Amino acid sequence: MNTEYIRLEHGGGGKLMRLLIENLVIPSFSIKKVEGGTGLLEEDDGAVIPIENGYLVLTTDAHTVKPLFFPGGDIGKLAVCGTINDLAAMGAKPIAITSAIIIEEGFPFSQLKRILDSMNSTLMEVGIPLVAGDTKVVEKGGIDKIVIATSGIGYTKDPIFDSRLKPGNLIIITGPVGRHEIALLSQREGLKFEIQLESDVKPLWSVVELALKAGRITSMKDPTRGGVAGALNEMARKSNVNIKIWEDKVPVDEEIRGIAEMLGIDILETTNEGIMIMGVAKEDAEKVLKAVKSTKYGRKASIIGEVEKGEGIVILETSTGGKRIIEEPIGSPLPRIC
Ligand code: MG
């Protein structure tokens, strides 16, 4: 590893990013959590802060997607969904978000308005406000067009961590894999397909809320950068269990699978912005699956695997009975995906 300069792979959501965070970022801060809560050391989707009657969850994300407008969404929708979904992954009902917007000199008002309207309609869908913000403008060339950082706060009585999978749990995925990254890549590369490919970017609180009511969810994570392979590896490693995934149960839209193969991309490593991975108590799995499937974003949900005793490995079982280890991704060099 080149230890002197940041490379694109350091932001790729894989092993290089994890090592950067663990070796440089986290050690730089002396106080790593609020007393009684969780924080930097857990490296979860958000931090947990105890209050009198439960917990606040606090999370933050920055968004630098290219192109700014893509099929199925734009940077505004992405910025809101990224934060809502990290709160949801902690089992927290979103309360409010804030945003910091950095704009390059010369950026059109019309595009900024489109982005703000998109943020607003996504917030309206979830039913929460944007309550504070910051706007900065930098000189031409200082950044590429616009960067949006959002923070969100949510509430839960029982936070859900990505480190609590138990042997015997089943793994549910709430929708098909790969749509965000493949839609973005196709547009960037100017690829034309008969079917209009759309990003899956969606706010998932409505899905998670019903799932939480339906049964016991032990652990949760949204498979964004690093994809399903990255999220499962993180959950398995932190929970100190193995996860076995049944390849033919993983939902992938046919056209997405075809394009991923054509581009030589491992579909399990692609970035998603509208699906959640849930570890569920075995006896509750069918109930949770049914609840997820009853939501508009969860119709293609599937039970894709099970948790076994082990030391943190993810194993893919193919339809023919073959097995291979799904490795933690190193970190895609593909920037500006989310
Ligand atoms: Mg997350």
Side-chain angles (χ1 to χ4, degrees):
M1 183 169 92
N2 181 340
T3 54
E4 290 181 49
Y5 300 100
I6 294 289
R7 292 165 23 204
L8 285 172
E9 290 90 335
H10 284 114
K15 189 172 183 176
L16 287 182
M17 191 173 87
R18 179 166 66 81
L19 293 176
L20 171 71
I21 291 168
E22 289 175 356
N23 296 335
L24 187 67
V25 179
I26 295 177
S28 299
F29 296 92
S30 306
I31 306 171
K32 300 183 201 294
K33 62 173 187 173
V34 174
E35 203 181 326
T38 64
L40 290 180
L41 291 176
E42 285 76 11
E43 296 178 59
D44 212 326
D45 295 290
V48 165
I49 300 168
I51 53 173
E52 197 167 291
N53 218 333
Y55 297 89
L56 292 176
V57 174
L58 180 60
T59 188
T60 194
D61 282 277
H63 303 271
T64 63
V65 69
K66 183 181 178 178
L68 296 175
F69 302 91
F70 50 84
D74 55 55
I75 191 170
K77 184 174 186 183
L78 191 67
V80 173
C81 290
T83 291
I84 298 295
N85 294 349
D86 277 342
L87 292 174
M90 302 293 295
K93 181 181 174 62
I95 297 171
I97 77 162
T98 67
S99 86
I101 304 181
I102 307 168
I103 310 165
E104 184 190 19
E105 177 189 18
F107 191 72
F109 263 81
S110 58
Q111 287 192 20
L112 180 59
K113 178 64 176 149
R114 245 177 100 187
I115 290 166
L116 295 172
D117 285 347
S118 175
M119 291 176 79
N120 180 53
S121 59
T122 311
L123 287 165
M124 291 280 288
E125 180 182 338
V126 184
I128 64 162
L130 183 141
V131 289
D134 183 35
T135 307
K136 296 270 163 43
V137 178
V138 297
E139 73 286 1
K140 187 113 193 128
I143 54 161
D144 185 13
K145 297 186 180 75
I146 190 166
V147 174
I148 302 181
T150 46
S151 298
I153 193 161
Y155 170 80
T156 177
K157 268 198 156 62
D158 297 301
I160 293 177
F161 301 100
D162 58 12
S163 55
R164 303 285 168 86
L165 287 175
K166 294 276 177 298
N169 286 172
L170 294 179
I171 303 290
I172 289 177
I173 195 157
T174 63
V177 174
R179 290 178 47 204
H180 178 72
E181 182 158 341
I182 299 296
L184 241 75
L185 274 186
S186 303
Q187 175 154 350
R188 267 195 219 170
E189 303 296 318
L191 300 177
K192 293 267 181 289
F193 299 100
E194 284 180 22
I195 304 146
Q196 168 76 329
L197 301 174
E198 283 201 348
S199 163
D200 64 350
V201 59
K202 294 285 183 300
L204 293 174
W205 171 245
S206 56
V207 178
V208 168
E209 187 176 30
L210 270 193
L212 288 169
K213 285 179 185 154
R216 195 155 50 87
I217 296 176
T218 55
S219 202
M220 211 162 14
K221 193 152 204 71
D222 57 334
T224 52
R225 276 174 307 167
V228 171
L232 289 173
N233 266 284
E234 195 171 340
M235 294 172 92
R237 186 180 64 247
K238 288 182 180 173
S239 307
N240 203 29
V241 295
N242 287 354
I243 301 175
K244 187 168 75 187
I245 296 297
W246 306 304
E247 187 175 35
D248 55 352
K249 298 284 189 219
V250 178
V252 185
D253 292 338
E254 272 320 305
E255 64 271 25
I256 297 289
R257 188 193 300 280
I259 296 162
E261 277 171 13
M262 193 182 83
L263 296 172
I265 294 169
D266 183 345
I267 196 79
L268 293 178
E269 293 191 7
T270 54
T271 298
N272 310 277
E273 294 291 340
I275 57 174
M276 192 70 78
I277 293 174
M278 301 170 171
V280 184
K282 193 172 204 160
E283 59 276 18
D284 291 350
E286 283 301 329
K287 278 183 287 180
V288 173
L289 180 67
K290 198 176 161 203
V292 170
K293 281 184 159 227
S294 75
T295 64
K296 64 176 167 176
Y297 302 142
R299 284 196 287 262
K300 294 184 182 173
S302 172
I303 296 174
I304 62 166
E306 64 188 356
V307 181
E308 299 175 331
K309 278 190 190 148
E311 291 97 40
I313 294 167
V314 183
I315 302 142
L316 188 75
E317 207 174 83
T318 64
S319 45
T320 52
K323 284 182 187 170
R324 71 172 171 90
I325 290 177
I326 303 177
E327 305 274 3
E328 178 185 21
I330 298 294
S332 161
L334 189 78
R336 315 273 307 267
I337 194 86
C338 57

